Amino acid sequence: MDVCVCVRACVCVCCSAALGTVRVLSSQIFDHLGQHVIGQEHAKKVLSVAVYNHYKRLSLLGPSRTQQLPPDEGYMDEATFSAVPPNISRDITGQSYLLFHLRRAPIDQRPKTPSRPTHVPPRQRPTDDSVRVDKSNVILLGPTGCGKTLLAQTLARFLDVPFAICDCTTLTQAGYVGQDIESTISRLLQEADYDVGQAERGIVFLDEIDKIMAMRDHQRARDIGGEGVQQGLLKILEGTVVNVQVKGRKAPRGNGSIQVDTRNILFIGSGAFNGLEEIVAHRQEEKVLGFSAKPLGTDTSTSGNATSSAVAGAKAAVTSGIATSADADAAAATEEEEKSLKMALRKDKLLRKVESRDLIKFGLIPEMVGRMPVVVPLQSMDEASLIRVLTEPRHALVSQYRYLLSMDGVELEFEAESLRAIAKRALTNNTGARGLRAIIEKLLLEPMYEVPGSAIKRIIVSSDVVNGLAEPIYEHRGEADADGGVETPEVIAV
């Protein structure tokens, strides 16, 4: 009997057939993150170890269970499986299985299907004397633009387990306007193509988790978006069976819900946690108020005094007519950069000393902190790191804009000093790596407007262009060097 077969490949878990061995090593995960994320070596190492341990936990669980499908989409029995044409792969080894589903056919031609595939062995459950390995959920905290979300997106592209990124800002307590807490598992189920066995082994990234902090004065109103959401997440983080409502053709018959067990799902939280450093400083009895308080970002070192003296000298020179106002503005900008750098260094130093009680005082309930024991602080991006972000990653910003202009047959070059000026401006704006794109978009607005349909063949961006003192340099096709050769500025190679 000729049967039309629809093949769906379900690569289950990253574990090999041998117990306790995995396909992806922590060093390989670390190297892959290093290709896309600059700096943050400690955070990349913690994430690599957490994901690797998650893989090992999956290897202890054996093959993933597969949800029983309706009769019209059942699995093939042995007779039908043996009739599969040889050009279709039938290699079913280890813990990765090919689940074959029949296309819709007349009822009298449909083979009788068992409740589970006959070729799938029963789940290998640990024996009574074996050690049960629990999961260790992770919290990433750090300033905006330091690479928290990029780490999650890079992991999602690399891993072969379902990876869902969920925004906590839209979550509310059940019964109120907004997304229910179960939507986090629903998102993971969608990433797994509604394969429950795959979803139960996935990873959920809770972005902006600091936005669901408990209100400090919630006696007047019900805290539906803060403490209420945290309390709803407790059981999901620890492990429970969640009923996920499914609509459309993926919905099972009956009540339209699918049960997902969250005991083996790894959760990674991320947030900026603005103001947490002041809680740490107060715990360490650092003076933040009173006459003897040290203002934020100030330093009594010689460099700080030298910068202030330089600014004062520049202002005095302007008053006496010796220097111009541009010199005074440059000195003021240098002072602002020094202040921003000191504030960032102080915040990084304090975040490295974060403890559980600091998170509780910030607004996380104690039960939530206990279920996310691994706390990873990320460091602020300095000038050298921002320059590397512009040029080194596989999808660096400079490479992206060079590719965009190359589609119009135009070369884009950045002088080395221009990249340094862009990094300094991002530091002054306190936007981190996220602010780099906005700065470059503003710089290249006019060139990207002039290029289409023109004879421009090359654009050079200098530091004066970044500082607003000059326009980009345009070179046109067929243009000869009238001066017998012009000195070419130093450009960055990307």
mmCIF file with all atom_site columns, all heavy atoms in Angstrom, residues 95-119:
data_model
loop_
_atom_site.group_PDB
_atom_site.id
_atom_site.type_symbol
_atom_site.label_atom_id
_atom_site.label_alt_id
_atom_site.label_comp_id
_atom_site.label_asym_id
_atom_site.label_entity_id
_atom_site.label_seq_id
_atom_site.pdbx_PDB_ins_code
_atom_site.Cartn_x
_atom_site.Cartn_y
_atom_site.Cartn_z
_atom_site.occupancy
_atom_site.B_iso_or_equiv
_atom_site.pdbx_formal_charge
_atom_site.auth_seq_id
_atom_site.auth_comp_id
_atom_site.auth_asym_id
_atom_site.auth_atom_id
_atom_site.pdbx_PDB_model_num
ATOM 1   N N   . GLN A 1 95  ? 19.571  9.392  21.031 1.00 0.00 ? 95  GLN A N   1
ATOM 2   C CA  . GLN A 1 95  ? 18.384  9.973  21.629 1.00 0.00 ? 95  GLN A CA  1
ATOM 3   C C   . GLN A 1 95  ? 17.736  10.993 20.714 1.00 0.00 ? 95  GLN A C   1
ATOM 4   O O   . GLN A 1 95  ? 16.941  11.807 21.143 1.00 0.00 ? 95  GLN A O   1
ATOM 5   C CB  . GLN A 1 95  ? 18.741  10.629 22.968 1.00 0.00 ? 95  GLN A CB  1
ATOM 6   C CG  . GLN A 1 95  ? 19.200  9.618  23.993 1.00 0.00 ? 95  GLN A CG  1
ATOM 7   C CD  . GLN A 1 95  ? 19.453  10.285 25.319 1.00 0.00 ? 95  GLN A CD  1
ATOM 8   O OE1 . GLN A 1 95  ? 19.234  11.459 25.466 1.00 0.00 ? 95  GLN A OE1 1
ATOM 9   N NE2 . GLN A 1 95  ? 19.893  9.523  26.289 1.00 0.00 ? 95  GLN A NE2 1
ATOM 10  N N   . SER A 1 96  ? 18.074  11.023 19.441 1.00 0.00 ? 96  SER A N   1
ATOM 11  C CA  . SER A 1 96  ? 17.404  11.892 18.481 1.00 0.00 ? 96  SER A CA  1
ATOM 12  C C   . SER A 1 96  ? 16.549  11.015 17.579 1.00 0.00 ? 96  SER A C   1
ATOM 13  O O   . SER A 1 96  ? 17.019  10.040 17.006 1.00 0.00 ? 96  SER A O   1
ATOM 14  C CB  . SER A 1 96  ? 18.418  12.664 17.655 1.00 0.00 ? 96  SER A CB  1
ATOM 15  O OG  . SER A 1 96  ? 19.134  13.535 18.488 1.00 0.00 ? 96  SER A OG  1
ATOM 16  N N   . TYR A 1 97  ? 15.273  11.347 17.449 1.00 0.00 ? 97  TYR A N   1
ATOM 17  C CA  . TYR A 1 97  ? 14.330  10.496 16.741 1.00 0.00 ? 97  TYR A CA  1
ATOM 18  C C   . TYR A 1 97  ? 13.682  11.273 15.599 1.00 0.00 ? 97  TYR A C   1
ATOM 19  O O   . TYR A 1 97  ? 13.488  12.491 15.680 1.00 0.00 ? 97  TYR A O   1
ATOM 20  C CB  . TYR A 1 97  ? 13.234  10.007 17.686 1.00 0.00 ? 97  TYR A CB  1
ATOM 21  C CG  . TYR A 1 97  ? 13.757  9.248  18.862 1.00 0.00 ? 97  TYR A CG  1
ATOM 22  C CD1 . TYR A 1 97  ? 14.035  9.910  20.047 1.00 0.00 ? 97  TYR A CD1 1
ATOM 23  C CD2 . TYR A 1 97  ? 13.989  7.903  18.770 1.00 0.00 ? 97  TYR A CD2 1
ATOM 24  C CE1 . TYR A 1 97  ? 14.534  9.228  21.124 1.00 0.00 ? 97  TYR A CE1 1
ATOM 25  C CE2 . TYR A 1 97  ? 14.483  7.212  19.856 1.00 0.00 ? 97  TYR A CE2 1
ATOM 26  C CZ  . TYR A 1 97  ? 14.755  7.882  21.035 1.00 0.00 ? 97  TYR A CZ  1
ATOM 27  O OH  . TYR A 1 97  ? 15.254  7.200  22.100 1.00 0.00 ? 97  TYR A OH  1
ATOM 28  N N   . LEU A 1 98  ? 13.340  10.553 14.539 1.00 0.00 ? 98  LEU A N   1
ATOM 29  C CA  . LEU A 1 98  ? 12.544  11.111 13.462 1.00 0.00 ? 98  LEU A CA  1
ATOM 30  C C   . LEU A 1 98  ? 11.126  10.608 13.638 1.00 0.00 ? 98  LEU A C   1
ATOM 31  O O   . LEU A 1 98  ? 10.863  9.398  13.570 1.00 0.00 ? 98  LEU A O   1
ATOM 32  C CB  . LEU A 1 98  ? 13.096  10.668 12.101 1.00 0.00 ? 98  LEU A CB  1
ATOM 33  C CG  . LEU A 1 98  ? 14.484  11.210 11.744 1.00 0.00 ? 98  LEU A CG  1
ATOM 34  C CD1 . LEU A 1 98  ? 14.899  10.672 10.389 1.00 0.00 ? 98  LEU A CD1 1
ATOM 35  C CD2 . LEU A 1 98  ? 14.500  12.707 11.749 1.00 0.00 ? 98  LEU A CD2 1
ATOM 36  N N   . LEU A 1 99  ? 10.227  11.540 13.908 1.00 0.00 ? 99  LEU A N   1
ATOM 37  C CA  . LEU A 1 99  ? 8.829   11.189 14.143 1.00 0.00 ? 99  LEU A CA  1
ATOM 38  C C   . LEU A 1 99  ? 8.062   11.388 12.840 1.00 0.00 ? 99  LEU A C   1
ATOM 39  O O   . LEU A 1 99  ? 7.955   12.510 12.328 1.00 0.00 ? 99  LEU A O   1
ATOM 40  C CB  . LEU A 1 99  ? 8.250   12.074 15.254 1.00 0.00 ? 99  LEU A CB  1
ATOM 41  C CG  . LEU A 1 99  ? 9.035   12.045 16.567 1.00 0.00 ? 99  LEU A CG  1
ATOM 42  C CD1 . LEU A 1 99  ? 8.356   12.943 17.574 1.00 0.00 ? 99  LEU A CD1 1
ATOM 43  C CD2 . LEU A 1 99  ? 9.145   10.636 17.088 1.00 0.00 ? 99  LEU A CD2 1
ATOM 44  N N   . PHE A 1 100 ? 7.551   10.292 12.296 1.00 0.00 ? 100 PHE A N   1
ATOM 45  C CA  . PHE A 1 100 ? 6.887   10.328 11.008 1.00 0.00 ? 100 PHE A CA  1
ATOM 46  C C   . PHE A 1 100 ? 5.376   10.431 11.211 1.00 0.00 ? 100 PHE A C   1
ATOM 47  O O   . PHE A 1 100 ? 4.798   9.642  11.950 1.00 0.00 ? 100 PHE A O   1
ATOM 48  C CB  . PHE A 1 100 ? 7.220   9.060  10.208 1.00 0.00 ? 100 PHE A CB  1
ATOM 49  C CG  . PHE A 1 100 ? 8.673   8.948  9.875  1.00 0.00 ? 100 PHE A CG  1
ATOM 50  C CD1 . PHE A 1 100 ? 9.533   8.302  10.731 1.00 0.00 ? 100 PHE A CD1 1
ATOM 51  C CD2 . PHE A 1 100 ? 9.177   9.514  8.717  1.00 0.00 ? 100 PHE A CD2 1
ATOM 52  C CE1 . PHE A 1 100 ? 10.866  8.207  10.434 1.00 0.00 ? 100 PHE A CE1 1
ATOM 53  C CE2 . PHE A 1 100 ? 10.506  9.418  8.423  1.00 0.00 ? 100 PHE A CE2 1
ATOM 54  C CZ  . PHE A 1 100 ? 11.369  8.763  9.281  1.00 0.00 ? 100 PHE A CZ  1
ATOM 55  N N   . HIS A 1 101 ? 4.758   11.379 10.546 1.00 0.00 ? 101 HIS A N   1
ATOM 56  C CA  . HIS A 1 101 ? 3.325   11.588 10.644 1.00 0.00 ? 101 HIS A CA  1
ATOM 57  C C   . HIS A 1 101 ? 2.686   11.352 9.273  1.00 0.00 ? 101 HIS A C   1
ATOM 58  O O   . HIS A 1 101 ? 3.214   11.771 8.246  1.00 0.00 ? 101 HIS A O   1
ATOM 59  C CB  . HIS A 1 101 ? 3.011   13.015 11.104 1.00 0.00 ? 101 HIS A CB  1
ATOM 60  C CG  . HIS A 1 101 ? 3.554   13.300 12.460 1.00 0.00 ? 101 HIS A CG  1
ATOM 61  N ND1 . HIS A 1 101 ? 2.912   12.944 13.611 1.00 0.00 ? 101 HIS A ND1 1
ATOM 62  C CD2 . HIS A 1 101 ? 4.704   13.897 12.842 1.00 0.00 ? 101 HIS A CD2 1
ATOM 63  C CE1 . HIS A 1 101 ? 3.637   13.313 14.645 1.00 0.00 ? 101 HIS A CE1 1
ATOM 64  N NE2 . HIS A 1 101 ? 4.723   13.896 14.201 1.00 0.00 ? 101 HIS A NE2 1
ATOM 65  N N   . LEU A 1 102 ? 1.563   10.677 9.296  1.00 0.00 ? 102 LEU A N   1
ATOM 66  C CA  . LEU A 1 102 ? 0.852   10.413 8.058  1.00 0.00 ? 102 LEU A CA  1
ATOM 67  C C   . LEU A 1 102 ? 0.080   11.639 7.600  1.00 0.00 ? 102 LEU A C   1
ATOM 68  O O   . LEU A 1 102 ? -0.483  12.366 8.412  1.00 0.00 ? 102 LEU A O   1
ATOM 69  C CB  . LEU A 1 102 ? -0.129  9.251  8.266  1.00 0.00 ? 102 LEU A CB  1
ATOM 70  C CG  . LEU A 1 102 ? 0.499   7.884  8.577  1.00 0.00 ? 102 LEU A CG  1
ATOM 71  C CD1 . LEU A 1 102 ? -0.613  6.892  8.865  1.00 0.00 ? 102 LEU A CD1 1
ATOM 72  C CD2 . LEU A 1 102 ? 1.324   7.418  7.419  1.00 0.00 ? 102 LEU A CD2 1
ATOM 73  N N   . ARG A 1 103 ? 0.095   11.883 6.306  1.00 0.00 ? 103 ARG A N   1
ATOM 74  C CA  . ARG A 1 103 ? -0.803  12.890 5.770  1.00 0.00 ? 103 ARG A CA  1
ATOM 75  C C   . ARG A 1 103 ? -2.239  12.371 5.835  1.00 0.00 ? 103 ARG A C   1
ATOM 76  O O   . ARG A 1 103 ? -2.484  11.175 5.993  1.00 0.00 ? 103 ARG A O   1
ATOM 77  C CB  . ARG A 1 103 ? -0.438  13.197 4.311  1.00 0.00 ? 103 ARG A CB  1
ATOM 78  C CG  . ARG A 1 103 ? 0.874   13.953 4.173  1.00 0.00 ? 103 ARG A CG  1
ATOM 79  C CD  . ARG A 1 103 ? 1.159   14.220 2.707  1.00 0.00 ? 103 ARG A CD  1
ATOM 80  N NE  . ARG A 1 103 ? 2.400   14.964 2.543  1.00 0.00 ? 103 ARG A NE  1
ATOM 81  C CZ  . ARG A 1 103 ? 2.945   15.233 1.371  1.00 0.00 ? 103 ARG A CZ  1
ATOM 82  N NH1 . ARG A 1 103 ? 2.348   14.828 0.260  1.00 0.00 ? 103 ARG A NH1 1
ATOM 83  N NH2 . ARG A 1 103 ? 4.067   15.896 1.304  1.00 0.00 ? 103 ARG A NH2 1
ATOM 84  N N   . ARG A 1 104 ? -3.144  13.259 5.728  1.00 0.00 ? 104 ARG A N   1
ATOM 85  C CA  . ARG A 1 104 ? -4.542  12.864 5.813  1.00 0.00 ? 104 ARG A CA  1
ATOM 86  C C   . ARG A 1 104 ? -4.885  11.910 4.665  1.00 0.00 ? 104 ARG A C   1
ATOM 87  O O   . ARG A 1 104 ? -4.644  12.196 3.508  1.00 0.00 ? 104 ARG A O   1
ATOM 88  C CB  . ARG A 1 104 ? -5.449  14.092 5.768  1.00 0.00 ? 104 ARG A CB  1
ATOM 89  C CG  . ARG A 1 104 ? -5.266  14.991 6.982  1.00 0.00 ? 104 ARG A CG  1
ATOM 90  C CD  . ARG A 1 104 ? -6.313  16.084 7.004  1.00 0.00 ? 104 ARG A CD  1
ATOM 91  N NE  . ARG A 1 104 ? -6.171  16.888 8.198  1.00 0.00 ? 104 ARG A NE  1
ATOM 92  C CZ  . ARG A 1 104 ? -6.717  16.586 9.349  1.00 0.00 ? 104 ARG A CZ  1
ATOM 93  N NH1 . ARG A 1 104 ? -7.419  15.490 9.476  1.00 0.00 ? 104 ARG A NH1 1
ATOM 94  N NH2 . ARG A 1 104 ? -6.545  17.376 10.400 1.00 0.00 ? 104 ARG A NH2 1
ATOM 95  N N   . ALA A 1 105 ? -5.429  10.769 5.015  1.00 0.00 ? 105 ALA A N   1
ATOM 96  C CA  . ALA A 1 105 ? -5.773  9.732  4.051  1.00 0.00 ? 105 ALA A CA  1
ATOM 97  C C   . ALA A 1 105 ? -7.123  9.171  4.436  1.00 0.00 ? 105 ALA A C   1
ATOM 98  O O   . ALA A 1 105 ? -7.622  9.414  5.538  1.00 0.00 ? 105 ALA A O   1
ATOM 99  C CB  . ALA A 1 105 ? -4.708  8.629  4.049  1.00 0.00 ? 105 ALA A CB  1
ATOM 100 N N   . PRO A 1 106 ? -7.768  8.435  3.529  1.00 0.00 ? 106 PRO A N   1
ATOM 101 C CA  . PRO A 1 106 ? -9.040  7.796  3.897  1.00 0.00 ? 106 PRO A CA  1
ATOM 102 C C   . PRO A 1 106 ? -8.896  6.932  5.140  1.00 0.00 ? 106 PRO A C   1
ATOM 103 O O   . PRO A 1 106 ? -7.851  6.331  5.386  1.00 0.00 ? 106 PRO A O   1
ATOM 104 C CB  . PRO A 1 106 ? -9.369  6.951  2.658  1.00 0.00 ? 106 PRO A CB  1
ATOM 105 C CG  . PRO A 1 106 ? -8.663  7.645  1.538  1.00 0.00 ? 106 PRO A CG  1
ATOM 106 C CD  . PRO A 1 106 ? -7.416  8.215  2.119  1.00 0.00 ? 106 PRO A CD  1
ATOM 107 N N   . ILE A 1 107 ? -9.961  6.904  5.937  1.00 0.00 ? 107 ILE A N   1
ATOM 108 C CA  . ILE A 1 107 ? -9.892  6.219  7.224  1.00 0.00 ? 107 ILE A CA  1
ATOM 109 C C   . ILE A 1 107 ? -9.552  4.748  7.046  1.00 0.00 ? 107 ILE A C   1
ATOM 110 O O   . ILE A 1 107 ? -8.791  4.179  7.832  1.00 0.00 ? 107 ILE A O   1
ATOM 111 C CB  . ILE A 1 107 ? -11.227 6.388  7.973  1.00 0.00 ? 107 ILE A CB  1
ATOM 112 C CG1 . ILE A 1 107 ? -11.442 7.882  8.279  1.00 0.00 ? 107 ILE A CG1 1
ATOM 113 C CG2 . ILE A 1 107 ? -11.241 5.573  9.253  1.00 0.00 ? 107 ILE A CG2 1
ATOM 114 C CD1 . ILE A 1 107 ? -12.713 8.164  9.009  1.00 0.00 ? 107 ILE A CD1 1
ATOM 115 N N   . ASP A 1 108 ? -10.070 4.100  5.998  1.00 0.00 ? 108 ASP A N   1
ATOM 116 C CA  . ASP A 1 108 ? -9.809  2.677  5.845  1.00 0.00 ? 108 ASP A CA  1
ATOM 117 C C   . ASP A 1 108 ? -8.369  2.390  5.436  1.00 0.00 ? 108 ASP A C   1
ATOM 118 O O   . ASP A 1 108 ? -7.914  1.243  5.501  1.00 0.00 ? 108 ASP A O   1
ATOM 119 C CB  . ASP A 1 108 ? -10.761 2.082  4.803  1.00 0.00 ? 108 ASP A CB  1
ATOM 120 C CG  . ASP A 1 108 ? -10.654 2.819  3.466  1.00 0.00 ? 108 ASP A CG  1
ATOM 121 O OD1 . ASP A 1 108 ? -10.024 3.907  3.451  1.00 0.00 ? 108 ASP A OD1 1
ATOM 122 O OD2 . ASP A 1 108 ? -11.188 2.317  2.467  1.00 0.00 ? 108 ASP A OD2 1
ATOM 123 N N   . GLN A 1 109 ? -7.608  3.438  5.023  1.00 0.00 ? 109 GLN A N   1
ATOM 124 C CA  . GLN A 1 109 ? -6.217  3.244  4.641  1.00 0.00 ? 109 GLN A CA  1
ATOM 125 C C   . GLN A 1 109 ? -5.245  3.684  5.719  1.00 0.00 ? 109 GLN A C   1
ATOM 126 O O   . GLN A 1 109 ? -4.041  3.559  5.540  1.00 0.00 ? 109 GLN A O   1
ATOM 127 C CB  . GLN A 1 109 ? -5.907  4.014  3.349  1.00 0.00 ? 109 GLN A CB  1
ATOM 128 C CG  . GLN A 1 109 ? -6.698  3.527  2.149  1.00 0.00 ? 109 GLN A CG  1
ATOM 129 C CD  . GLN A 1 109 ? -6.311  4.270  0.888  1.00 0.00 ? 109 GLN A CD  1
ATOM 130 O OE1 . GLN A 1 109 ? -5.321  5.002  0.866  1.00 0.00 ? 109 GLN A OE1 1
ATOM 131 N NE2 . GLN A 1 109 ? -7.088  4.060  -0.172 1.00 0.00 ? 109 GLN A NE2 1
ATOM 132 N N   . ARG A 1 110 ? -5.753  4.205  6.825  1.00 0.00 ? 110 ARG A N   1
ATOM 133 C CA  . ARG A 1 110 ? -4.863  4.664  7.887  1.00 0.00 ? 110 ARG A CA  1
ATOM 134 C C   . ARG A 1 110 ? -4.453  3.481  8.754  1.00 0.00 ? 110 ARG A C   1
ATOM 135 O O   . ARG A 1 110 ? -5.300  2.708  9.194  1.00 0.00 ? 110 ARG A O   1
ATOM 136 C CB  . ARG A 1 110 ? -5.546  5.714  8.762  1.00 0.00 ? 110 ARG A CB  1
ATOM 137 C CG  . ARG A 1 110 ? -5.899  6.974  8.005  1.00 0.00 ? 110 ARG A CG  1
ATOM 138 C CD  . ARG A 1 110 ? -6.494  7.991  8.934  1.00 0.00 ? 110 ARG A CD  1
ATOM 139 N NE  . ARG A 1 110 ? -7.013  9.134  8.212  1.00 0.00 ? 110 ARG A NE  1
ATOM 140 C CZ  . ARG A 1 110 ? -7.645  10.153 8.778  1.00 0.00 ? 110 ARG A CZ  1
ATOM 141 N NH1 . ARG A 1 110 ? -7.838  10.150 10.080 1.00 0.00 ? 110 ARG A NH1 1
ATOM 142 N NH2 . ARG A 1 110 ? -8.081  11.156 8.058  1.00 0.00 ? 110 ARG A NH2 1
ATOM 143 N N   . PRO A 1 111 ? -3.148  3.317  9.007  1.00 0.00 ? 111 PRO A N   1
ATOM 144 C CA  . PRO A 1 111 ? -2.724  2.216  9.865  1.00 0.00 ? 111 PRO A CA  1
ATOM 145 C C   . PRO A 1 111 ? -3.095  2.482  11.311 1.00 0.00 ? 111 PRO A C   1
ATOM 146 O O   . PRO A 1 111 ? -3.222  3.628  11.745 1.00 0.00 ? 111 PRO A O   1
ATOM 147 C CB  . PRO A 1 111 ? -1.203  2.206  9.672  1.00 0.00 ? 111 PRO A CB  1
ATOM 148 C CG  . PRO A 1 111 ? -0.860  3.609  9.321  1.00 0.00 ? 111 PRO A CG  1
ATOM 149 C CD  . PRO A 1 111 ? -2.020  4.123  8.522  1.00 0.00 ? 111 PRO A CD  1
ATOM 150 N N   . LYS A 1 112 ? -3.298  1.419  12.030 1.00 0.00 ? 112 LYS A N   1
ATOM 151 C CA  . LYS A 1 112 ? -3.583  1.545  13.448 1.00 0.00 ? 112 LYS A CA  1
ATOM 152 C C   . LYS A 1 112 ? -2.298  1.941  14.162 1.00 0.00 ? 112 LYS A C   1
ATOM 153 O O   . LYS A 1 112 ? -1.260  1.320  13.992 1.00 0.00 ? 112 LYS A O   1
ATOM 154 C CB  . LYS A 1 112 ? -4.113  0.237  14.014 1.00 0.00 ? 112 LYS A CB  1
ATOM 155 C CG  . LYS A 1 112 ? -5.456  -0.179 13.403 1.00 0.00 ? 112 LYS A CG  1
ATOM 156 C CD  . LYS A 1 112 ? -5.932  -1.470 14.010 1.00 0.00 ? 112 LYS A CD  1
ATOM 157 C CE  . LYS A 1 112 ? -7.281  -1.887 13.393 1.00 0.00 ? 112 LYS A CE  1
ATOM 158 N NZ  . LYS A 1 112 ? -7.759  -3.161 13.989 1.00 0.00 ? 112 LYS A NZ  1
ATOM 159 N N   . THR A 1 113 ? -2.400  2.984  14.970 1.00 0.00 ? 113 THR A N   1
ATOM 160 C CA  . THR A 1 113 ? -1.207  3.532  15.604 1.00 0.00 ? 113 THR A CA  1
ATOM 161 C C   . THR A 1 113 ? -1.252  3.306  17.095 1.00 0.00 ? 113 THR A C   1
ATOM 162 O O   . THR A 1 113 ? -2.290  3.448  17.733 1.00 0.00 ? 113 THR A O   1
ATOM 163 C CB  . THR A 1 113 ? -1.105  5.046  15.345 1.00 0.00 ? 113 THR A CB  1
ATOM 164 O OG1 . THR A 1 113 ? -2.306  5.649  15.815 1.00 0.00 ? 113 THR A OG1 1
ATOM 165 C CG2 . THR A 1 113 ? -0.957  5.325  13.859 1.00 0.00 ? 113 THR A CG2 1
ATOM 166 N N   . PRO A 1 114 ? -0.126  2.948  17.693 1.00 0.00 ? 114 PRO A N   1
ATOM 167 C CA  . PRO A 1 114 ? -0.075  2.812  19.155 1.00 0.00 ? 114 PRO A CA  1
ATOM 168 C C   . PRO A 1 114 ? -0.062  4.169  19.816 1.00 0.00 ? 114 PRO A C   1
ATOM 169 O O   . PRO A 1 114 ? 0.054   5.207  19.165 1.00 0.00 ? 114 PRO A O   1
ATOM 170 C CB  . PRO A 1 114 ? 1.246   2.065  19.386 1.00 0.00 ? 114 PRO A CB  1
ATOM 171 C CG  . PRO A 1 114 ? 2.094   2.443  18.221 1.00 0.00 ? 114 PRO A CG  1
ATOM 172 C CD  . PRO A 1 114 ? 1.150   2.607  17.053 1.00 0.00 ? 114 PRO A CD  1
ATOM 173 N N   . SER A 1 115 ? -0.175  4.183  21.129 1.00 0.00 ? 115 SER A N   1
ATOM 174 C CA  . SER A 1 115 ? -0.206  5.441  21.866 1.00 0.00 ? 115 SER A CA  1
ATOM 175 C C   . SER A 1 115 ? 1.133   6.138  21.853 1.00 0.00 ? 115 SER A C   1
ATOM 176 O O   . SER A 1 115 ? 1.215   7.316  22.112 1.00 0.00 ? 115 SER A O   1
ATOM 177 C CB  . SER A 1 115 ? -0.637  5.187  23.320 1.00 0.00 ? 115 SER A CB  1
ATOM 178 O OG  . SER A 1 115 ? 0.271   4.306  23.943 1.00 0.00 ? 115 SER A OG  1
ATOM 179 N N   . ARG A 1 116 ? 2.221   5.420  21.589 1.00 0.00 ? 116 ARG A N   1
ATOM 180 C CA  . ARG A 1 116 ? 3.546   6.024  21.507 1.00 0.00 ? 116 ARG A CA  1
ATOM 181 C C   . ARG A 1 116 ? 4.320   5.262  20.437 1.00 0.00 ? 116 ARG A C   1
ATOM 182 O O   . ARG A 1 116 ? 3.978   4.126  20.102 1.00 0.00 ? 116 ARG A O   1
ATOM 183 C CB  . ARG A 1 116 ? 4.301   5.969  22.840 1.00 0.00 ? 116 ARG A CB  1
ATOM 184 C CG  . ARG A 1 116 ? 4.450   4.579  23.397 1.00 0.00 ? 116 ARG A CG  1
ATOM 185 C CD  . ARG A 1 116 ? 5.200   4.587  24.723 1.00 0.00 ? 116 ARG A CD  1
ATOM 186 N NE  . ARG A 1 116 ? 6.563   5.038  24.534 1.00 0.00 ? 116 ARG A NE  1
ATOM 187 C CZ  . ARG A 1 116 ? 7.102   5.989  25.287 1.00 0.00 ? 116 ARG A CZ  1
ATOM 188 N NH1 . ARG A 1 116 ? 6.401   6.579  26.219 1.00 0.00 ? 116 ARG A NH1 1
ATOM 189 N NH2 . ARG A 1 116 ? 8.347   6.351  25.101 1.00 0.00 ? 116 ARG A NH2 1
ATOM 190 N N   . PRO A 1 117 ? 5.343   5.799  19.837 1.00 0.00 ? 117 PRO A N   1
ATOM 191 C CA  . PRO A 1 117 ? 6.100   5.101  18.816 1.00 0.00 ? 117 PRO A CA  1
ATOM 192 C C   . PRO A 1 117 ? 6.682   3.804  19.359 1.00 0.00 ? 117 PRO A C   1
ATOM 193 O O   . PRO A 1 117 ? 7.239   3.785  20.458 1.00 0.00 ? 117 PRO A O   1
ATOM 194 C CB  . PRO A 1 117 ? 7.202   6.097  18.435 1.00 0.00 ? 117 PRO A CB  1
ATOM 195 C CG  . PRO A 1 117 ? 6.705   7.417  18.901 1.00 0.00 ? 117 PRO A CG  1
ATOM 196 C CD  . PRO A 1 117 ? 5.853   7.152  20.091 1.00 0.00 ? 117 PRO A CD  1
ATOM 197 N N   . THR A 1 118 ? 6.566   2.746  18.560 1.00 0.00 ? 118 THR A N   1
ATOM 198 C CA  . THR A 1 118 ? 7.082   1.465  19.027 1.00 0.00 ? 118 THR A CA  1
ATOM 199 C C   . THR A 1 118 ? 8.601   1.437  19.054 1.00 0.00 ? 118 THR A C   1
ATOM 200 O O   . THR A 1 118 ? 9.188   0.603  19.739 1.00 0.00 ? 118 THR A O   1
ATOM 201 C CB  . THR A 1 118 ? 6.586   0.343  18.109 1.00 0.00 ? 118 THR A CB  1
ATOM 202 O OG1 . THR A 1 118 ? 6.995   0.644  16.763 1.00 0.00 ? 118 THR A OG1 1
ATOM 203 C CG2 . THR A 1 118 ? 5.072   0.235  18.149 1.00 0.00 ? 118 THR A CG2 1
ATOM 204 N N   . HIS A 1 119 ? 9.236   2.347  18.288 1.00 0.00 ? 119 HIS A N   1
ATOM 205 C CA  . HIS A 1 119 ? 10.686  2.327  18.245 1.00 0.00 ? 119 HIS A CA  1
ATOM 206 C C   . HIS A 1 119 ? 11.318  3.206  19.309 1.00 0.00 ? 119 HIS A C   1
ATOM 207 O O   . HIS A 1 119 ? 12.532  3.319  19.375 1.00 0.00 ? 119 HIS A O   1
ATOM 208 C CB  . HIS A 1 119 ? 11.185  2.778  16.865 1.00 0.00 ? 119 HIS A CB  1
ATOM 209 C CG  . HIS A 1 119 ? 10.632  4.116  16.445 1.00 0.00 ? 119 HIS A CG  1
ATOM 210 N ND1 . HIS A 1 119 ? 9.468   4.236  15.722 1.00 0.00 ? 119 HIS A ND1 1
ATOM 211 C CD2 . HIS A 1 119 ? 11.068  5.378  16.663 1.00 0.00 ? 119 HIS A CD2 1
ATOM 212 C CE1 . HIS A 1 119 ? 9.213   5.512  15.491 1.00 0.00 ? 119 HIS A CE1 1
ATOM 213 N NE2 . HIS A 1 119 ? 10.171  6.214  16.064 1.00 0.00 ? 119 HIS A NE2 1
#
